[in-house]
Amino acid sequence: MNRRQLIQAAMAAAAGMTAWHPLASRAAGAGGRVIVVGGGMAGATVAKYLRMWSNGGLEVTLIERNPAYVSNIMSSLVLTGQRSMSSLRFGYDALKTRHGVKLLTDEVLEVDAVNGSVLLASGQRLLADKIVLAPGMRFDLLPGQTDPSRMPHAWSAGVQTEQLAKQLAAMRSGGTVLLTIPKTPYRCPPGPYERACLVADWLKTKKPGSKLIVLDANPDIVVEKDNFSKAFFGLHANVIEYHNNVEISSVDEQQMMLYTNGGAVHGDVINLIPPQRAGKLIEQTGLATATNGRFAPVDVLSYASLSAPKVHVIGDSSATTQPKAGHIANQEAKICADALVRYFGGLAPDPAPVTNSACFSTITRTQASWLTVVFQYDPLTKTMQAVPASASASAGWNGDNFDDMNQWFKALMADSFA
Amino acid sequence: MQCKRFVLSGAAALLPFLLATAAQAQTTQVPAGRLLASNCFQCHGTNGKGPGFERIAGKSSLEIYKELKEMRAGGEGQGLMTKHALGYTDAQLRELSQWLSTQR
């Protein structure tokens, strides 16, 4: 039995023994301790709502290695010079001062999912009644990739966003940009398509004669097909060249080449968005057992891990039927917070949770489309199911939607971080 | 009677469950509709109090419910909220409207 099997066996045993109700082992009405790992959209929101909805009764410690969160949402606008990196930074002051979240700027090295503790890089070991993991995404390195800055994904906003922006700015007119889209599930389904549209619009005026080749590993545009088709094959047809079913087998960083099932392709700038998987802690803790070992299966009534009941997994790292994106991660966090508040009070989770996704996509530098869907819990399949009548996109794009996008971003970030 | 039942429908559905567990849980109170209504917060601010789109806290339950029903019917164009409002059952719209009306 190797280490992972050992962990899984121990967790399976724990899962069998531990009921949802804590009162067998806890005094009624007592507070509880919750550790939240990761201060992104999901982690920040769950920390805030745990404090708010327990009326300060739960002790919540948020562990995040960075001093501030840098938003992925809106980060493609850094590539076109329309947004600064500082406009994407969200600190944790409000969580601390307004909501009483304890913040530790530290890194979690190890999670003990059975006993409920985490080991920090600083050497400290923290105990908790519940641990919420929200470590986001990890990006695969493709064969031949040694220096991620050569072909940045810029799919986790930060240094790679700035690198890609610089590479685009330095490219000659008449150059070729490659943008790759991995197979689903990946973070933010419309994201790569909206980035392609935005960059194409920018290339038209800033780098005349340039081309943007989109290499999509999926059989078709995965979401908002009407709008993106009209944009790719109409509005931006003189810039965008779209290829479906393209898988990248390896890369050559020196020659700036991608080797694919459709042949070799050269790019002056390559935005390589690779396949994605749950944050490292998820796999290391033995929780990544869904989606070919990439994501953590959870009970969507509470986001409790199916193999380690003391641990909850929210946001991009969890395997659910919902898209991996910030807006829905925020709602998953609220369901998890509500379920934990109930748990510590001896109540079962809400039996019929609802989540929603809503977002805007840049089609040009001044116009946007929108996309929305509501998910209802289906007790038969124990999954969140999209309500068909609610699943819809705007008919086309316009400037009002672009203004709404800014409004939406402001509201969403405030609901998560302030 | 009819009217009273409609206002209480959200809480009433949870009542047996709350009673059953009340003996164990002395302090926990989870207001009916709060989690549902939190679906509004991403765009209308935490507890519906902004920043963001139209402030919804402080309106009466009936006002919010009527507006959502009107949106569902397409009375306010084919915007995002028209589609969004179609994602909830009538009972859910009543329940979340009721909770939002408690926010001042």
Side-chain angles (χ1 to χ4, degrees):
Chain A
M1 195 181 252
N2 66 26
R3 186 165 170 274
R4 182 175 301 160
Q5 286 168 327
L6 197 69
I7 293 171
Q8 280 171 348
M11 287 190 312
M17 291 184 304
T18 316
W20 172 258
H21 290 262
L23 295 172
S25 57
R26 293 193 59 83
R33 280 172 307 175
V34 182
I35 287 173
V36 179
V37 182
M41 301 299 291
T45 306
V46 81
K48 167 178 167 173
Y49 278 84
L50 277 167
R51 289 288 301 166
M52 215 171 76
W53 283 348
S54 70
N55 298 314
L58 294 176
E59 185 188 313
V60 179
T61 305
L62 173 64
I63 306 167
E64 164 59 48
R65 59 187 164 201
N66 298 307
Y69 175 66
V70 184
S71 170
N72 303 315
I73 299 176
M74 306 296 257
S75 66
S76 288
L77 289 157
V78 174
L79 307 178
T80 53
Q82 292 172 272
R83 265 198 178 258
S84 64
M85 288 301 288
S86 65
S87 78
L88 303 177
R89 287 175 74 84
F90 295 84
Y92 301 107
D93 283 355
L95 292 184
K96 273 196 294 187
T97 57
R98 190 180 299 168
H99 300 290
V101 173
K102 293 182 178 175
L103 179 74
L104 279 182
T105 308
D106 208 326
E107 186 165 352
V108 173
L109 298 180
E110 217 176 274
V111 177
D112 180 340
V114 179
N115 299 307
S117 74
V118 298
L119 178 64
L120 303 177
S122 60
Q124 215 180 336
R125 185 174 279 282
L126 291 184
L127 288 166
D129 302 298
K130 287 282 192 179
I131 299 172
V132 182
L133 297 180
M137 282 298 196
R138 202 152 47 109
F139 298 87
D140 288 3
L141 274 183
L142 295 177
Q145 250 194 315
T146 55
D147 175 7
S149 72
R150 285 290 288 170
M151 301 177 181
H153 53 68
W155 214 240
S156 184
V159 61
Q160 290 203 10
T161 312
E162 293 175 291
Q163 286 164 348
L164 184 59
K166 276 185 199 152
Q167 291 168 9
L168 285 167
M171 191 184 79
R172 65 185 168 94
S173 290
T176 301
V177 181
L178 305 184
L179 183 153
T180 73
I181 305 175
K183 276 206 172 129
T184 57
Y186 60 83
R187 171 185 279 164
C188 187
Y193 304 97
E194 74 150 351
R195 176 179 288 180
C197 290
L198 187 68
V199 170
D201 188 52
W202 177 84
L203 287 170
K204 279 179 199 172
T205 52
K206 301 287 181 180
K207 307 284 173 185
S210 298
K211 213 172 218 189
L212 171 60
I213 302 177
V214 178
L215 304 174
D216 193 342
N218 298 288
D220 203 348
I221 292 171
V222 302
V223 70
E224 213 181 321
K225 198 182 161 189
D226 280 2
N227 285 333
F228 290 127
S229 297
K230 278 182 200 148
F232 278 22
F233 309 121
L235 183 66
H236 301 309
N238 57 342
V239 180
I240 292 180
E241 197 181 298
Y242 176 76
H243 299 273
N244 60 344
N245 287 320
V246 179
E247 299 224 43
I248 319 291
S249 47
S250 66
V251 312
D252 183 334
E253 289 176 341
Q254 298 314 310
Q255 303 298 318
M256 289 296 280
M257 296 285 287
L258 298 183
Y259 294 97
T260 79
N261 53 346
V265 200
H266 171 264
D268 295 299
V269 174
I270 302 180
N271 180 195
L272 184 63
I273 304 172
Q276 295 155 35
R277 59 180 72 217
K280 189 171 78 184
L281 281 175
I282 300 291
E283 194 176 309
Q284 194 187 307
T285 312
L287 307 179
T289 55
T291 337
N292 298 318
R294 286 180 180 263
F295 297 101
V298 293
D299 173 0
V300 288
L301 292 180
S302 66
Y303 290 83
S305 157
L306 292 185
S307 43
K310 273 200 174 184
V311 177
H312 295 237
V313 182
I314 53 175
D316 292 349
S317 282
S318 65
T320 77
T321 51
Q322 303 157 113
K324 298 183 184 302
H327 187 107
I328 207 142
N330 166 297
Q331 197 58 34
E332 291 176 8
K334 288 170 185 160
I335 290 172
C336 178
D338 182 79
L340 287 178
V341 167
R342 289 171 195 251
Y343 166 82
F344 286 109
L347 302 174
D350 185 324
V354 179
T355 60
N356 82 92
S357 181
C359 67
F360 295 83
S361 296
T362 51
I363 304 294
T364 72
R365 282 170 291 168
T366 55
Q367 301 197 326
S369 60
W370 56 256
L371 182 66
T372 187
V373 59
V374 173
F375 291 88
Q376 295 267 358
Y377 182 71
D378 172 27
L380 285 178
T381 57
K382 297 184 176 173
T383 58
M384 299 302 292
Q385 290 296 322
V387 178
S390 74
S392 192
S394 58
W397 49 84
N398 59 42
D400 285 349
N401 290 338
F402 198 93
D403 295 341
D404 283 352
M405 175 176 73
N406 286 318
Q407 185 94 316
W408 161 71
F409 179 61
K410 199 169 144 190
L412 175 61
M413 299 317 280
D415 188 39
S416 307
F417 289 87
Chain B
M1 191 60 206
Q2 199 59 32
C3 178
K4 215 175 194 174
R5 257 197 8 230
F6 125 64
V7 174
L8 289 173
S9 64
L14 285 171
L15 209 56
F17 185 67
L18 290 175
L19 286 174
T21 50
Q24 306 162 14
Q26 297 159 355
T27 55
T28 301
Q29 298 215 327
V30 179
R34 185 176 67 182
L35 180 59
L36 254 183
S38 72
N39 276 289
C40 310
F41 302 173
Q42 286 102 321
C43 294
H44 296 274
T46 303
N47 297 332
K49 295 178 180 177
F53 295 93
E54 185 186 358
R55 185 188 161 97
I56 40 178
K59 291 186 175 184
S60 76
S61 169
L62 197 62
E63 207 179 338
I64 300 167
Y65 172 74
K66 271 184 161 172
E67 206 169 324
L68 286 164
K69 289 292 274 187
E70 219 170 282
M71 283 171 176
R72 278 170 72 103
E76 304 202 0
Q78 290 300 307
L80 192 154
M81 267 310 296
T82 296
K83 299 299 177 186
H84 188 84
L86 287 167
Y88 302 82
T89 65
D90 192 61
Q92 286 171 338
L93 290 182
R94 290 177 198 276
E95 197 175 320
L96 67 87
S97 300
Q98 174 61 33
W99 186 85
L100 285 167
S101 73
T102 66
Q103 297 301 299
R104 298 289 161 198

